[in-house]
């Protein structure tokens, strides 16, 4: 059995989070693969497609609906790595094969009766296929957040990627803990998001800001401490843009559309589009 760490859990599946460079765990999203599960509210349906370098494509769909005294959430995501030509040890063609990941997430969030606190739990099933290698991951995430309504701020704590893997390519799970905050600024038409995410291997800080250009158009900007890893020190512009995101959204009545970009220090980029509909 092959065993190693797996970065597929950290792939961004929402173009909104893409333009915030990974920040925004306390921003409601029906399709984000990593979010504080206590934040789900309202009723809406979302679709997103993101194109990564090397023809890698992520497609997602998600739904949030009222359920009992809270909100239920379900999403599906597929990441296609493309079609490849297979060979045996004698360099003879064995035909083509495709590699892909599929992830299903189901969540529930609910507010406490006597306190301005929401709690949430999510269950995730992840299946990955790489030619003859196949593995599955079942994981949990749980979180809570407090609503400081007077200060127009949220503070949240969440734990992610708690689970196990099985199959012929075992994976070492590295659970993460996130401390998150969001705040609507008093003198600017903007909301800021800060997420401190810690795992056994590292701690990263993600920051993002969403600014209302007018009643219908918003500007998204984000960056993180991962910029250090993206800085190849061979081009000033690439060093400045590395590990950063930018995007715009347009909202009109019951729907919104968002387009986002994420820049790598190498000069390549991801781009994605997301559609959300209130139901």
């Amino acid at each position: 059995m092959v065993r190693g760490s797996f970065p597929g859990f950290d792939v961004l599946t929402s173009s909104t989070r893409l333009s915030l460079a990974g920040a925004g765990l306390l921003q409601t999203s029906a399709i984000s693969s990593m979010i504080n599960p206590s934040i789900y509210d309202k009723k809406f349906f979302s679709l997103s497609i993101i194109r990564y370098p090397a023809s890698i494509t992520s497609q997602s769909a998600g739904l949030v609906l009222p359920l009992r005294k809270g909100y239920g959430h379900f999403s599906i995501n597929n990441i296609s790595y493309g079609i490849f030509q297979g060979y045996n040890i004698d360099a003879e063609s064995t035909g083509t094969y495709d590699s892909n990941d599929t992830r299903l997430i189901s969540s529930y969030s609910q507010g406490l009766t006597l306190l301005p606190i929401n709690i949430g739990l999510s269950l995730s099933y992840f299946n990955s296929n790489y030619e003859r290698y196949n593995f599955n991951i079942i994981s949990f995430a749980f979180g809570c957040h407090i609503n400081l309504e007077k200060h127009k701020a949220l503070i949240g704590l969440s734990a992610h990627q708690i689970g196990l893997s099985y199959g012929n390519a075992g994976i070492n799970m590295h659970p993460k803990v996130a401390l998150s905050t969001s705040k609507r600024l008093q003198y600017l038409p903007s909301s800021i998001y800060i997420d401190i995410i810690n795992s056994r291997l590292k701690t990263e800080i993600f920051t993002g800001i969403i600014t209302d250009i007018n009643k219908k158009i918003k500007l998204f900007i984000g960056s993180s401490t991962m910029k250090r890893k993206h800085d190849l020190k061979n081009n000033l512009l690439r060093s400045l843009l590395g590990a950063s995101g930018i995007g715009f959204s347009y909202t009109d009545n019951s729907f919104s559309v968002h387009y986002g970009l994420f820049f790598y220090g190498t000069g390549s980029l991801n781009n994605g589009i997301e559609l959300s509909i209130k139901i």
Side-chain angles (χ1 to χ4, degrees):
M1 174 187 290
V2 175
R3 194 162 194 93
S5 61
F6 181 62
F9 260 19
D10 298 324
V11 173
L12 296 175
T13 56
S14 162
S15 74
T16 301
R17 291 285 304 282
L18 191 75
S19 60
L20 292 174
L25 268 67
L26 287 177
Q27 185 195 33
T28 301
S29 171
I31 52 179
S32 178
S33 58
M34 185 172 176
I35 189 173
N36 187 319
S38 68
I39 201 65
Y40 294 113
D41 62 1
K42 304 176 183 177
K43 299 188 297 181
F44 62 101
F45 172 75
S46 297
L47 294 169
S48 181
I49 182 168
I50 298 175
R51 297 193 181 279
Y52 290 87
S55 300
I56 298 172
T57 303
S58 168
Q59 301 176 76
S60 303
L63 178 69
V64 178
L65 288 173
L67 179 63
R68 296 183 178 272
K69 297 181 179 180
Y71 287 87
H73 157 260
F74 178 79
S75 66
I76 181 170
N77 167 254
N78 178 265
I79 300 174
S80 173
Y81 297 100
I83 298 176
F84 304 91
Q85 181 68 48
Y87 296 91
N88 60 23
I89 59 175
D90 297 318
E92 298 172 334
S93 174
T94 58
T96 59
Y97 67 93
D98 64 326
S99 296
N100 62 83
D101 298 332
T102 300
R103 185 172 188 172
L104 305 176
I105 302 176
S106 181
S107 313
Y108 180 76
S109 67
Q110 181 176 321
L112 301 184
T113 304
L114 301 177
L115 296 171
I117 296 175
N118 284 57
I119 58 175
L121 174 70
S122 71
L123 171 65
S124 169
Y125 169 73
F126 192 100
N127 174 263
S128 193
N129 292 285
Y130 301 93
E131 194 181 15
R132 64 183 182 275
Y133 296 108
N134 175 274
F135 62 87
N136 303 274
I137 299 173
I138 296 177
S139 66
F140 295 88
F142 58 88
C144 64
H145 75 270
I146 181 169
N147 185 356
L148 304 176
E149 189 171 354
K150 181 179 178 180
H151 302 283
K152 296 183 179 180
L154 302 176
I155 298 176
L157 182 67
S158 54
H160 306 265
Q161 301 179 14
I162 303 169
L164 56 88
S165 69
Y166 59 94
N168 58 6
I171 295 300
N172 294 316
M173 300 293 292
H174 298 300
K176 297 184 176 184
V177 176
L179 176 63
S180 307
T181 183
S182 68
K183 178 175 173 55
R184 183 68 178 180
L185 299 182
Q186 185 174 359
Y187 299 109
L188 292 173
S190 303
S191 297
I192 59 172
Y193 297 86
I194 301 175
D195 301 284
I196 303 172
I197 302 177
N198 174 265
S199 71
R200 188 182 67 180
L201 302 177
K202 58 187 177 181
T203 298
E204 301 286 0
I205 301 174
F206 300 82
T207 60
I209 184 169
I210 302 176
T211 300
D212 300 334
I213 304 300
N214 55 40
K215 292 183 177 180
K216 294 186 177 182
I217 299 175
K218 296 182 179 181
L219 169 66
F220 296 66
I221 297 176
S223 190
S224 74
T225 54
M226 295 183 69
K227 184 178 290 290
R228 296 168 301 183
K229 299 177 182 178
H230 286 250
D231 185 4
L232 302 181
K233 302 184 185 302
N234 60 4
N235 183 287
L236 179 59
L237 181 60
R238 291 179 181 179
S239 297
L240 292 173
L241 292 178
S244 298
I246 188 171
F248 295 89
S249 72
Y250 175 84
T251 302
D252 188 7
N253 296 324
S254 62
F255 82 93
S256 67
V257 60
H258 176 276
Y259 179 76
L261 296 167
F262 178 84
F263 301 93
Y264 293 92
T266 59
S268 59
L269 58 82
N270 306 336
N271 68 95
I273 189 169
E274 183 173 331
L275 174 67
S276 294
I277 301 172
K278 294 180 182 179
I279 55 179

